[in-house]
Protein backbone atom coordinates (compact mmCIF):
# COMPACT_ATOMS: atom_id res chain seq x y z
CA UNK A 1 0.00 0.00 0.00
CA UNK A 2 1.18 3.51 -0.81
CA UNK A 3 0.04 6.47 1.29
CA UNK A 4 1.13 10.03 2.04
CA UNK A 5 3.78 10.27 4.76
CA UNK A 6 2.73 11.57 8.17
CA UNK A 7 4.72 13.21 10.94
CA UNK A 8 4.70 9.87 12.79
CA UNK A 9 6.62 8.32 9.87
CA UNK A 10 9.61 10.65 10.27
CA UNK A 11 11.85 8.28 12.29
CA UNK A 12 11.26 5.35 9.92
CA UNK A 13 11.81 7.55 6.86
CA UNK A 14 15.04 8.93 8.33
CA UNK A 15 16.24 5.36 8.93
CA UNK A 16 15.35 4.42 5.34
CA UNK A 17 17.20 7.46 4.03
CA UNK A 18 20.41 6.07 5.51
CA UNK A 19 20.34 3.38 2.78
CA UNK A 20 20.87 6.00 0.05
CA UNK A 21 24.36 6.60 -1.36
CA UNK A 22 23.95 10.37 -1.01
CA UNK A 23 21.18 11.09 1.53
CA UNK A 24 19.97 14.65 1.99
CA UNK A 25 18.46 15.05 5.48
CA UNK A 26 17.89 18.77 4.82
CA UNK A 27 15.85 17.98 1.71
CA UNK A 28 13.81 15.41 3.60
CA UNK A 29 13.21 17.85 6.45
CA UNK A 30 11.80 20.37 3.96
CA UNK A 31 9.70 17.80 2.07
CA UNK A 32 6.38 19.18 3.27
CA UNK A 33 7.13 22.62 1.89
CA UNK A 34 8.82 21.43 -1.30
CA UNK A 35 6.68 18.59 -2.54
CA UNK A 36 5.20 15.22 -1.76
CA UNK A 37 6.54 12.36 0.33
CA UNK A 38 4.82 9.01 -0.14
CA UNK A 39 5.52 5.84 1.84
CA UNK A 40 5.14 2.17 1.04
CA UNK A 41 3.87 -0.13 3.76
CA UNK A 42 3.64 -3.92 3.64
CA UNK A 43 0.51 -5.24 1.94
CA UNK A 44 0.67 -8.60 3.69
CA UNK A 45 -0.42 -8.32 7.35
CA UNK A 46 1.82 -11.29 8.20
CA UNK A 47 4.88 -9.31 7.04
CA UNK A 48 4.08 -5.96 8.67
CA UNK A 49 6.53 -5.14 11.38
CA UNK A 50 8.67 -8.20 10.72
CA UNK A 51 12.44 -8.05 10.89
CA UNK A 52 14.40 -4.85 10.56
CA UNK A 53 12.20 -3.41 7.81
CA UNK A 54 9.55 -2.12 10.20
CA UNK A 55 8.56 -1.99 13.82
CA UNK A 56 4.78 -2.14 13.59
CA UNK A 57 1.72 -2.32 11.40
CA UNK A 58 1.80 0.44 8.81
CA UNK A 59 5.47 1.35 9.31
CA UNK A 60 7.13 2.58 6.11
CA UNK A 61 9.38 0.13 4.31
CA UNK A 62 10.12 2.61 1.52
CA UNK A 63 9.47 6.17 0.47
CA UNK A 64 9.53 8.49 -2.54
CA UNK A 65 10.11 12.21 -2.37
CA UNK A 66 8.99 14.31 -5.34
CA UNK A 67 9.73 18.04 -5.32
CA UNK A 68 8.82 20.92 -7.55
CA UNK A 69 6.06 23.29 -8.50
CA UNK A 70 4.85 22.63 -12.02
CA UNK A 71 7.37 20.10 -13.28
CA UNK A 72 8.42 17.58 -10.64
CA UNK A 73 11.68 15.88 -9.76
CA UNK A 74 11.83 12.48 -8.10
CA UNK A 75 14.51 13.52 -5.62
CA UNK A 76 14.71 10.36 -3.49
CA UNK A 77 13.36 6.85 -3.68
CA UNK A 78 14.42 4.06 -1.36
CA UNK A 79 13.04 0.70 -0.29
CA UNK A 80 14.53 -1.11 2.69
CA UNK A 81 17.14 -3.62 1.40
CA UNK A 82 15.25 -6.53 3.01
CA UNK A 83 12.10 -5.62 1.04
CA UNK A 84 13.53 -4.90 -2.42
CA UNK A 85 12.37 -6.81 -5.50
CA UNK A 86 8.82 -7.05 -4.07
CA UNK A 87 7.26 -4.30 -6.21
CA UNK A 88 7.35 -1.48 -3.66
CA UNK A 89 9.71 0.68 -5.72
CA UNK A 90 7.53 0.35 -8.80
CA UNK A 91 4.42 1.13 -6.74
CA UNK A 92 6.06 4.27 -5.34
CA UNK A 93 7.10 5.50 -8.81
CA UNK A 94 3.61 4.83 -10.15
CA UNK A 95 2.03 6.68 -7.22
CA UNK A 96 4.28 9.71 -7.76
CA UNK A 97 3.37 9.79 -11.46
CA UNK A 98 -0.34 9.30 -10.76
CA UNK A 99 -0.37 12.32 -8.43
CA UNK A 100 0.95 14.70 -11.09
CA UNK A 101 -1.31 16.90 -13.17
CA UNK A 102 -1.67 15.86 -16.82
CA UNK A 103 1.26 17.12 -18.87
CA UNK A 104 3.61 17.43 -15.88
CA UNK A 105 7.16 16.46 -16.67
CA UNK A 106 8.81 14.28 -14.01
CA UNK A 107 12.59 14.02 -13.97
CA UNK A 108 15.06 11.97 -11.95
CA UNK A 109 18.76 11.26 -11.79
CA UNK A 110 20.30 7.84 -11.42
CA UNK A 111 23.91 6.70 -11.42
CA UNK A 112 24.93 5.01 -14.66
CA UNK A 113 26.23 1.99 -12.73
CA UNK A 114 23.07 1.53 -10.62
CA UNK A 115 21.57 -1.28 -12.71
CA UNK A 116 18.69 -2.12 -10.33
CA UNK A 117 17.47 1.49 -10.23
CA UNK A 118 17.89 1.93 -13.99
CA UNK A 119 15.85 -1.21 -14.58
CA UNK A 120 13.08 0.11 -12.31
CA UNK A 121 12.93 3.51 -14.01
CA UNK A 122 13.05 2.07 -17.52
Amino acid sequence: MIRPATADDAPAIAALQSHLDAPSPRLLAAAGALGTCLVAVADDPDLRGSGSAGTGVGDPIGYALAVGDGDAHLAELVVHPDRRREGYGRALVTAVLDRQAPGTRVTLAVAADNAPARSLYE
Side-chain angles (χ1 to χ4, degrees):
M1 175 177 77
I2 307 299
R3 63 172 172 76
T6 67
D8 291 341
D9 295 325
I13 292 171
L16 287 165
Q17 191 184 50
S18 71
H19 295 288
L20 292 172
D21 287 340
S24 178
R26 290 177 56 196
L27 176 64
L28 189 58
L34 297 174
T36 302
C37 187
L38 303 173
V39 295
V41 295
D43 292 328
D44 183 343
D46 294 334
L47 296 176
R48 292 180 186 168
S50 64
S52 60
T55 57
V57 173
D59 283 350
I61 56 174
Y63 76 92
L65 175 60
V67 298
D69 186 20
D71 288 345
H73 179 73
L74 182 57
E76 293 187 350
L77 179 119
V78 63
V79 174
H80 191 282
D82 292 347
R83 303 308 301 269
R84 292 180 181 159
R85 312 271 324 149
E86 295 179 25
Y88 293 106
R90 183 170 312 280
L92 283 162
V93 170
T94 299
V96 166
L97 296 174
D98 287 349
R99 283 170 170 75
Q100 304 306 312
T104 300
R105 184 175 67 153
V106 178
T107 61
L108 60 90
V110 63
D113 63 348
N114 189 341
R118 290 182 55 153
S119 175
L120 168 66
Y121 298 135
E122 290 171 354

